[in-house]
Amino acid sequence: DVKVTQSSRYLVKRTGEKVFLECVQDMDHENMFWYRQDPGLGLRLIYFSYDVKMKEKGDIPEGYSVSREKKERFSLILESASTNQTSMYLCASSLGQGVGETQYFGPGTRLLVL
Amino acid sequence: QQQVKQSPQSLIVQKGGISIINCAYENTAFDYFPWYQQFPGKGPALLIAIRPDVSEKKEGRFTISFNKSAKQFSLHIMDSQPGDSATYFCAASRPNQAGTALIFGKGTTLSVSS
């Protein structure tokens, strides 16, 4: 079974802090994704990566950056956390570049910025 | 053009009834339409998916109906059960983009009453 793990289930940070969210997948997937999930807004894509050291902006990249130094690990970085970044963050991965690749999601990290 | 519109936002169905969730899109270049199911405290998981060259796909009690000319697709859950209570997201695959990123609808919270 594909397993996507996220470093924390719950996180509380202060405004202005630098925040790192870590995601690891164990199935040698090429693609990894970061979404945020907010009530009534669904899942919105922040960034994704289709290869090591490669990244593409999603729909809401402002205030975020990412790092993918190893194939299995994709980090989301909040350079200076703000209260409007309080949200559920979901990481996902998929195998390759074909159409119809299933995305496998981690359990999510609920971030509260005070 | 890059949106997927999902309705209703919430749905209450009696046990044994039919649950229907609808989605609409504008971009005719979308080439893959999955539905994801999310239980509380978990990440979304692929439920069923369809390509635009097929009008219907059935897997057990779950059916996707696809209307290419109307640019609409829907999820039907037959004989709905309390265990189907979850949030459902429709999605569409972004064409010509590395990493096969998805665009998600805003979600439908389904409650099946016993």
mmCIF file with all atom_site columns, all heavy atoms in Angstrom, chain B residues 25-39:
data_model
loop_
_atom_site.group_PDB
_atom_site.id
_atom_site.type_symbol
_atom_site.label_atom_id
_atom_site.label_alt_id
_atom_site.label_comp_id
_atom_site.label_asym_id
_atom_site.label_entity_id
_atom_site.label_seq_id
_atom_site.pdbx_PDB_ins_code
_atom_site.Cartn_x
_atom_site.Cartn_y
_atom_site.Cartn_z
_atom_site.occupancy
_atom_site.B_iso_or_equiv
_atom_site.pdbx_formal_charge
_atom_site.auth_seq_id
_atom_site.auth_comp_id
_atom_site.auth_asym_id
_atom_site.auth_atom_id
_atom_site.pdbx_PDB_model_num
ATOM 1   N N   . TYR B 1 25 ? -18.024 21.804 -15.460 1.00 0.00 ? 25 TYR B N   1
ATOM 2   C CA  . TYR B 1 25 ? -16.719 22.390 -15.791 1.00 0.00 ? 25 TYR B CA  1
ATOM 3   C C   . TYR B 1 25 ? -16.849 23.182 -17.081 1.00 0.00 ? 25 TYR B C   1
ATOM 4   O O   . TYR B 1 25 ? -17.827 23.041 -17.822 1.00 0.00 ? 25 TYR B O   1
ATOM 5   C CB  . TYR B 1 25 ? -15.662 21.296 -15.924 1.00 0.00 ? 25 TYR B CB  1
ATOM 6   C CG  . TYR B 1 25 ? -15.921 20.313 -17.043 1.00 0.00 ? 25 TYR B CG  1
ATOM 7   C CD1 . TYR B 1 25 ? -15.320 20.450 -18.285 1.00 0.00 ? 25 TYR B CD1 1
ATOM 8   C CD2 . TYR B 1 25 ? -16.795 19.243 -16.858 1.00 0.00 ? 25 TYR B CD2 1
ATOM 9   C CE1 . TYR B 1 25 ? -15.574 19.567 -19.312 1.00 0.00 ? 25 TYR B CE1 1
ATOM 10  C CE2 . TYR B 1 25 ? -17.049 18.347 -17.879 1.00 0.00 ? 25 TYR B CE2 1
ATOM 11  C CZ  . TYR B 1 25 ? -16.434 18.507 -19.098 1.00 0.00 ? 25 TYR B CZ  1
ATOM 12  O OH  . TYR B 1 25 ? -16.694 17.634 -20.111 1.00 0.00 ? 25 TYR B OH  1
ATOM 13  N N   . GLU B 1 26 ? -15.854 24.025 -17.367 1.00 0.00 ? 26 GLU B N   1
ATOM 14  C CA  . GLU B 1 26 ? -15.863 24.839 -18.570 1.00 0.00 ? 26 GLU B CA  1
ATOM 15  C C   . GLU B 1 26 ? -14.790 24.428 -19.580 1.00 0.00 ? 26 GLU B C   1
ATOM 16  O O   . GLU B 1 26 ? -14.995 24.483 -20.782 1.00 0.00 ? 26 GLU B O   1
ATOM 17  C CB  . GLU B 1 26 ? -15.657 26.311 -18.200 1.00 0.00 ? 26 GLU B CB  1
ATOM 18  C CG  . GLU B 1 26 ? -16.853 26.960 -17.516 1.00 0.00 ? 26 GLU B CG  1
ATOM 19  C CD  . GLU B 1 26 ? -18.062 27.017 -18.438 1.00 0.00 ? 26 GLU B CD  1
ATOM 20  O OE1 . GLU B 1 26 ? -17.865 27.269 -19.654 1.00 0.00 ? 26 GLU B OE1 1
ATOM 21  O OE2 . GLU B 1 26 ? -19.192 26.798 -17.967 1.00 0.00 ? 26 GLU B OE2 1
ATOM 22  N N   . ASN B 1 27 ? -13.640 23.997 -19.055 1.00 0.00 ? 27 ASN B N   1
ATOM 23  C CA  . ASN B 1 27 ? -12.499 23.731 -19.927 1.00 0.00 ? 27 ASN B CA  1
ATOM 24  C C   . ASN B 1 27 ? -12.656 22.374 -20.613 1.00 0.00 ? 27 ASN B C   1
ATOM 25  O O   . ASN B 1 27 ? -12.561 21.326 -19.985 1.00 0.00 ? 27 ASN B O   1
ATOM 26  C CB  . ASN B 1 27 ? -11.220 23.766 -19.095 1.00 0.00 ? 27 ASN B CB  1
ATOM 27  C CG  . ASN B 1 27 ? -9.969  23.759 -19.952 1.00 0.00 ? 27 ASN B CG  1
ATOM 28  O OD1 . ASN B 1 27 ? -9.996  23.314 -21.096 1.00 0.00 ? 27 ASN B OD1 1
ATOM 29  N ND2 . ASN B 1 27 ? -8.877  24.247 -19.396 1.00 0.00 ? 27 ASN B ND2 1
ATOM 30  N N   . THR B 1 28 ? -12.879 22.386 -21.902 1.00 0.00 ? 28 THR B N   1
ATOM 31  C CA  . THR B 1 28 ? -13.098 21.137 -22.631 1.00 0.00 ? 28 THR B CA  1
ATOM 32  C C   . THR B 1 28 ? -11.818 20.329 -22.797 1.00 0.00 ? 28 THR B C   1
ATOM 33  O O   . THR B 1 28 ? -11.851 19.202 -23.282 1.00 0.00 ? 28 THR B O   1
ATOM 34  C CB  . THR B 1 28 ? -13.697 21.432 -24.016 1.00 0.00 ? 28 THR B CB  1
ATOM 35  O OG1 . THR B 1 28 ? -12.827 22.340 -24.706 1.00 0.00 ? 28 THR B OG1 1
ATOM 36  C CG2 . THR B 1 28 ? -15.079 22.058 -23.896 1.00 0.00 ? 28 THR B CG2 1
ATOM 37  N N   . ALA B 1 29 ? -10.700 20.890 -22.397 1.00 0.00 ? 29 ALA B N   1
ATOM 38  C CA  . ALA B 1 29 ? -9.438  20.148 -22.479 1.00 0.00 ? 29 ALA B CA  1
ATOM 39  C C   . ALA B 1 29 ? -9.217  19.227 -21.270 1.00 0.00 ? 29 ALA B C   1
ATOM 40  O O   . ALA B 1 29 ? -8.293  18.410 -21.285 1.00 0.00 ? 29 ALA B O   1
ATOM 41  C CB  . ALA B 1 29 ? -8.274  21.113 -22.611 1.00 0.00 ? 29 ALA B CB  1
ATOM 42  N N   . PHE B 1 30 ? -10.045 19.343 -20.236 1.00 0.00 ? 30 PHE B N   1
ATOM 43  C CA  . PHE B 1 30 ? -9.923  18.417 -19.106 1.00 0.00 ? 30 PHE B CA  1
ATOM 44  C C   . PHE B 1 30 ? -10.090 16.993 -19.626 1.00 0.00 ? 30 PHE B C   1
ATOM 45  O O   . PHE B 1 30 ? -10.987 16.708 -20.436 1.00 0.00 ? 30 PHE B O   1
ATOM 46  C CB  . PHE B 1 30 ? -10.996 18.701 -18.061 1.00 0.00 ? 30 PHE B CB  1
ATOM 47  C CG  . PHE B 1 30 ? -10.779 19.965 -17.271 1.00 0.00 ? 30 PHE B CG  1
ATOM 48  C CD1 . PHE B 1 30 ? -11.836 20.561 -16.609 1.00 0.00 ? 30 PHE B CD1 1
ATOM 49  C CD2 . PHE B 1 30 ? -9.540  20.553 -17.160 1.00 0.00 ? 30 PHE B CD2 1
ATOM 50  C CE1 . PHE B 1 30 ? -11.671 21.727 -15.868 1.00 0.00 ? 30 PHE B CE1 1
ATOM 51  C CE2 . PHE B 1 30 ? -9.351  21.711 -16.433 1.00 0.00 ? 30 PHE B CE2 1
ATOM 52  C CZ  . PHE B 1 30 ? -10.424 22.301 -15.789 1.00 0.00 ? 30 PHE B CZ  1
ATOM 53  N N   . ASP B 1 31 ? -9.251  16.073 -19.140 1.00 0.00 ? 31 ASP B N   1
ATOM 54  C CA  . ASP B 1 31 ? -9.248  14.738 -19.742 1.00 0.00 ? 31 ASP B CA  1
ATOM 55  C C   . ASP B 1 31 ? -9.376  13.588 -18.750 1.00 0.00 ? 31 ASP B C   1
ATOM 56  O O   . ASP B 1 31 ? -9.192  12.421 -19.104 1.00 0.00 ? 31 ASP B O   1
ATOM 57  C CB  . ASP B 1 31 ? -7.993  14.559 -20.598 1.00 0.00 ? 31 ASP B CB  1
ATOM 58  C CG  . ASP B 1 31 ? -6.712  14.903 -19.852 1.00 0.00 ? 31 ASP B CG  1
ATOM 59  O OD1 . ASP B 1 31 ? -6.779  15.086 -18.617 1.00 0.00 ? 31 ASP B OD1 1
ATOM 60  O OD2 . ASP B 1 31 ? -5.669  14.990 -20.499 1.00 0.00 ? 31 ASP B OD2 1
ATOM 61  N N   . TYR B 1 32 ? -9.711  13.900 -17.528 1.00 0.00 ? 32 TYR B N   1
ATOM 62  C CA  . TYR B 1 32 ? -9.841  12.846 -16.516 1.00 0.00 ? 32 TYR B CA  1
ATOM 63  C C   . TYR B 1 32 ? -10.617 13.429 -15.359 1.00 0.00 ? 32 TYR B C   1
ATOM 64  O O   . TYR B 1 32 ? -10.324 14.565 -14.926 1.00 0.00 ? 32 TYR B O   1
ATOM 65  C CB  . TYR B 1 32 ? -8.436  12.400 -16.087 1.00 0.00 ? 32 TYR B CB  1
ATOM 66  C CG  . TYR B 1 32 ? -8.366  11.480 -14.882 1.00 0.00 ? 32 TYR B CG  1
ATOM 67  C CD1 . TYR B 1 32 ? -8.855  10.182 -14.939 1.00 0.00 ? 32 TYR B CD1 1
ATOM 68  C CD2 . TYR B 1 32 ? -7.754  11.898 -13.708 1.00 0.00 ? 32 TYR B CD2 1
ATOM 69  C CE1 . TYR B 1 32 ? -8.763  9.334  -13.848 1.00 0.00 ? 32 TYR B CE1 1
ATOM 70  C CE2 . TYR B 1 32 ? -7.660  11.073 -12.613 1.00 0.00 ? 32 TYR B CE2 1
ATOM 71  C CZ  . TYR B 1 32 ? -8.167  9.792  -12.692 1.00 0.00 ? 32 TYR B CZ  1
ATOM 72  O OH  . TYR B 1 32 ? -8.065  8.953  -11.609 1.00 0.00 ? 32 TYR B OH  1
ATOM 73  N N   . PHE B 1 33 ? -11.626 12.684 -14.865 1.00 0.00 ? 33 PHE B N   1
ATOM 74  C CA  . PHE B 1 33 ? -12.539 13.224 -13.867 1.00 0.00 ? 33 PHE B CA  1
ATOM 75  C C   . PHE B 1 33 ? -12.688 12.217 -12.724 1.00 0.00 ? 33 PHE B C   1
ATOM 76  O O   . PHE B 1 33 ? -13.495 11.300 -12.782 1.00 0.00 ? 33 PHE B O   1
ATOM 77  C CB  . PHE B 1 33 ? -13.903 13.525 -14.499 1.00 0.00 ? 33 PHE B CB  1
ATOM 78  C CG  . PHE B 1 33 ? -13.819 14.516 -15.629 1.00 0.00 ? 33 PHE B CG  1
ATOM 79  C CD1 . PHE B 1 33 ? -13.580 14.099 -16.930 1.00 0.00 ? 33 PHE B CD1 1
ATOM 80  C CD2 . PHE B 1 33 ? -13.976 15.874 -15.382 1.00 0.00 ? 33 PHE B CD2 1
ATOM 81  C CE1 . PHE B 1 33 ? -13.486 15.020 -17.972 1.00 0.00 ? 33 PHE B CE1 1
ATOM 82  C CE2 . PHE B 1 33 ? -13.897 16.798 -16.409 1.00 0.00 ? 33 PHE B CE2 1
ATOM 83  C CZ  . PHE B 1 33 ? -13.650 16.368 -17.708 1.00 0.00 ? 33 PHE B CZ  1
ATOM 84  N N   . PRO B 1 34 ? -11.937 12.416 -11.653 1.00 0.00 ? 34 PRO B N   1
ATOM 85  C CA  . PRO B 1 34 ? -12.046 11.510 -10.499 1.00 0.00 ? 34 PRO B CA  1
ATOM 86  C C   . PRO B 1 34 ? -12.972 12.066 -9.432  1.00 0.00 ? 34 PRO B C   1
ATOM 87  O O   . PRO B 1 34 ? -13.228 13.274 -9.361  1.00 0.00 ? 34 PRO B O   1
ATOM 88  C CB  . PRO B 1 34 ? -10.607 11.456 -9.980  1.00 0.00 ? 34 PRO B CB  1
ATOM 89  C CG  . PRO B 1 34 ? -10.057 12.816 -10.294 1.00 0.00 ? 34 PRO B CG  1
ATOM 90  C CD  . PRO B 1 34 ? -10.750 13.270 -11.558 1.00 0.00 ? 34 PRO B CD  1
ATOM 91  N N   . TRP B 1 35 ? -13.462 11.184 -8.599  1.00 0.00 ? 35 TRP B N   1
ATOM 92  C CA  . TRP B 1 35 ? -14.167 11.546 -7.372  1.00 0.00 ? 35 TRP B CA  1
ATOM 93  C C   . TRP B 1 35 ? -13.351 11.022 -6.196  1.00 0.00 ? 35 TRP B C   1
ATOM 94  O O   . TRP B 1 35 ? -12.914 9.869  -6.198  1.00 0.00 ? 35 TRP B O   1
ATOM 95  C CB  . TRP B 1 35 ? -15.567 10.926 -7.342  1.00 0.00 ? 35 TRP B CB  1
ATOM 96  C CG  . TRP B 1 35 ? -16.540 11.589 -8.256  1.00 0.00 ? 35 TRP B CG  1
ATOM 97  C CD1 . TRP B 1 35 ? -16.775 11.315 -9.567  1.00 0.00 ? 35 TRP B CD1 1
ATOM 98  C CD2 . TRP B 1 35 ? -17.441 12.657 -7.918  1.00 0.00 ? 35 TRP B CD2 1
ATOM 99  N NE1 . TRP B 1 35 ? -17.753 12.135 -10.070 1.00 0.00 ? 35 TRP B NE1 1
ATOM 100 C CE2 . TRP B 1 35 ? -18.186 12.969 -9.078  1.00 0.00 ? 35 TRP B CE2 1
ATOM 101 C CE3 . TRP B 1 35 ? -17.698 13.374 -6.746  1.00 0.00 ? 35 TRP B CE3 1
ATOM 102 C CZ2 . TRP B 1 35 ? -19.159 13.958 -9.108  1.00 0.00 ? 35 TRP B CZ2 1
ATOM 103 C CZ3 . TRP B 1 35 ? -18.675 14.358 -6.771  1.00 0.00 ? 35 TRP B CZ3 1
ATOM 104 C CH2 . TRP B 1 35 ? -19.386 14.647 -7.943  1.00 0.00 ? 35 TRP B CH2 1
ATOM 105 N N   . TYR B 1 36 ? -13.196 11.889 -5.197  1.00 0.00 ? 36 TYR B N   1
ATOM 106 C CA  . TYR B 1 36 ? -12.486 11.501 -3.984  1.00 0.00 ? 36 TYR B CA  1
ATOM 107 C C   . TYR B 1 36 ? -13.455 11.531 -2.810  1.00 0.00 ? 36 TYR B C   1
ATOM 108 O O   . TYR B 1 36 ? -14.362 12.369 -2.746  1.00 0.00 ? 36 TYR B O   1
ATOM 109 C CB  . TYR B 1 36 ? -11.303 12.446 -3.721  1.00 0.00 ? 36 TYR B CB  1
ATOM 110 C CG  . TYR B 1 36 ? -10.080 12.111 -4.551  1.00 0.00 ? 36 TYR B CG  1
ATOM 111 C CD1 . TYR B 1 36 ? -10.011 12.447 -5.899  1.00 0.00 ? 36 TYR B CD1 1
ATOM 112 C CD2 . TYR B 1 36 ? -8.998  11.440 -3.983  1.00 0.00 ? 36 TYR B CD2 1
ATOM 113 C CE1 . TYR B 1 36 ? -8.889  12.122 -6.658  1.00 0.00 ? 36 TYR B CE1 1
ATOM 114 C CE2 . TYR B 1 36 ? -7.875  11.120 -4.729  1.00 0.00 ? 36 TYR B CE2 1
ATOM 115 C CZ  . TYR B 1 36 ? -7.843  11.462 -6.070  1.00 0.00 ? 36 TYR B CZ  1
ATOM 116 O OH  . TYR B 1 36 ? -6.731  11.135 -6.829  1.00 0.00 ? 36 TYR B OH  1
ATOM 117 N N   . GLN B 1 37 ? -13.229 10.625 -1.873  1.00 0.00 ? 37 GLN B N   1
ATOM 118 C CA  . GLN B 1 37 ? -14.056 10.499 -0.671  1.00 0.00 ? 37 GLN B CA  1
ATOM 119 C C   . GLN B 1 37 ? -13.172 10.776 0.541   1.00 0.00 ? 37 GLN B C   1
ATOM 120 O O   . GLN B 1 37 ? -12.060 10.247 0.626   1.00 0.00 ? 37 GLN B O   1
ATOM 121 C CB  . GLN B 1 37 ? -14.613 9.072  -0.604  1.00 0.00 ? 37 GLN B CB  1
ATOM 122 C CG  . GLN B 1 37 ? -15.494 8.761  0.580   1.00 0.00 ? 37 GLN B CG  1
ATOM 123 C CD  . GLN B 1 37 ? -15.818 7.267  0.629   1.00 0.00 ? 37 GLN B CD  1
ATOM 124 O OE1 . GLN B 1 37 ? -14.938 6.416  0.597   1.00 0.00 ? 37 GLN B OE1 1
ATOM 125 N NE2 . GLN B 1 37 ? -17.100 6.941  0.690   1.00 0.00 ? 37 GLN B NE2 1
ATOM 126 N N   . GLN B 1 38 ? -13.673 11.592 1.462   1.00 0.00 ? 38 GLN B N   1
ATOM 127 C CA  . GLN B 1 38 ? -12.883 11.929 2.641   1.00 0.00 ? 38 GLN B CA  1
ATOM 128 C C   . GLN B 1 38 ? -13.716 11.727 3.906   1.00 0.00 ? 38 GLN B C   1
ATOM 129 O O   . GLN B 1 38 ? -14.771 12.340 4.065   1.00 0.00 ? 38 GLN B O   1
ATOM 130 C CB  . GLN B 1 38 ? -12.391 13.380 2.572   1.00 0.00 ? 38 GLN B CB  1
ATOM 131 C CG  . GLN B 1 38 ? -11.495 13.772 3.738   1.00 0.00 ? 38 GLN B CG  1
ATOM 132 C CD  . GLN B 1 38 ? -11.042 15.217 3.666   1.00 0.00 ? 38 GLN B CD  1
ATOM 133 O OE1 . GLN B 1 38 ? -11.747 16.077 3.145   1.00 0.00 ? 38 GLN B OE1 1
ATOM 134 N NE2 . GLN B 1 38 ? -9.845  15.505 4.196   1.00 0.00 ? 38 GLN B NE2 1
ATOM 135 N N   . PHE B 1 39 ? -13.195 10.884 4.796   1.00 0.00 ? 39 PHE B N   1
ATOM 136 C CA  . PHE B 1 39 ? -13.807 10.702 6.107   1.00 0.00 ? 39 PHE B CA  1
ATOM 137 C C   . PHE B 1 39 ? -13.137 11.643 7.109   1.00 0.00 ? 39 PHE B C   1
ATOM 138 O O   . PHE B 1 39 ? -11.980 12.034 6.934   1.00 0.00 ? 39 PHE B O   1
ATOM 139 C CB  . PHE B 1 39 ? -13.658 9.252  6.564   1.00 0.00 ? 39 PHE B CB  1
ATOM 140 C CG  . PHE B 1 39 ? -14.457 8.285  5.728   1.00 0.00 ? 39 PHE B CG  1
ATOM 141 C CD1 . PHE B 1 39 ? -13.833 7.456  4.812   1.00 0.00 ? 39 PHE B CD1 1
ATOM 142 C CD2 . PHE B 1 39 ? -15.839 8.222  5.852   1.00 0.00 ? 39 PHE B CD2 1
ATOM 143 C CE1 . PHE B 1 39 ? -14.568 6.580  4.035   1.00 0.00 ? 39 PHE B CE1 1
ATOM 144 C CE2 . PHE B 1 39 ? -16.579 7.341  5.080   1.00 0.00 ? 39 PHE B CE2 1
ATOM 145 C CZ  . PHE B 1 39 ? -15.935 6.529  4.168   1.00 0.00 ? 39 PHE B CZ  1
#
